[in-house]
Amino acid sequence: MEILWLLVPLSLVLVSVIVGALLWAVKSGQFDDLEGPAHRILLDDEDGPCKDDHETRSPRETGAPQTPTQELRMTAKKTRSRTQDPQGFD
């Protein structure tokens, strides 16, 4: 029973630290926009590659897909070329 004199204050300190961290996160805006970054990654980049960066190559030069749709098409082409459709459809 004497251990309770240590555990109760220790647990109160722990709870206060957790509540403080939660309040800090709310005040600093960590929970303002939860869905925006998830949707933004799916949108096409209208500006294209950065004009200031001389080392940047366009996705067309690197062979990388430019949009998620093009990525799916490239994946489908690779899959088709490996499985060779017996009826010859491309």
Side-chain angles (χ1 to χ4, degrees):
M1 289 303 276
E2 292 179 11
I3 193 70
L4 289 178
W5 290 106
L6 176 67
L7 290 179
V8 169
L10 190 63
S11 65
L12 291 175
V13 168
L14 182 64
V15 166
S16 65
V17 168
I18 291 172
V19 168
L22 178 66
L23 291 176
W24 171 81
V26 170
K27 287 182 182 179
S28 67
Q30 295 292 322
F31 301 109
D32 285 348
D33 186 16
L34 296 177
E35 295 181 11
H39 291 288
R40 219 174 303 129
I41 197 169
L42 297 175
L43 299 176
D44 291 337
D45 187 16
E46 295 176 10
D47 297 334
C50 181
K51 305 282 188 227
D52 297 334
D53 189 7
H54 299 294
E55 299 296 321
T56 304
R57 296 189 305 169
S58 70
R60 188 168 289 164
E61 291 173 335
T62 61
Q66 296 174 353
T67 63
T69 305
Q70 289 176 342
E71 184 176 355
L72 289 174
R73 287 181 185 155
M74 289 178 68
T75 305
K77 284 181 184 178
K78 289 177 185 176
T79 305
R80 261 189 263 142
S81 67
R82 280 185 271 171
T83 57
Q84 292 300 323
D85 190 7
Q87 298 183 357
F89 295 113
D90 286 87

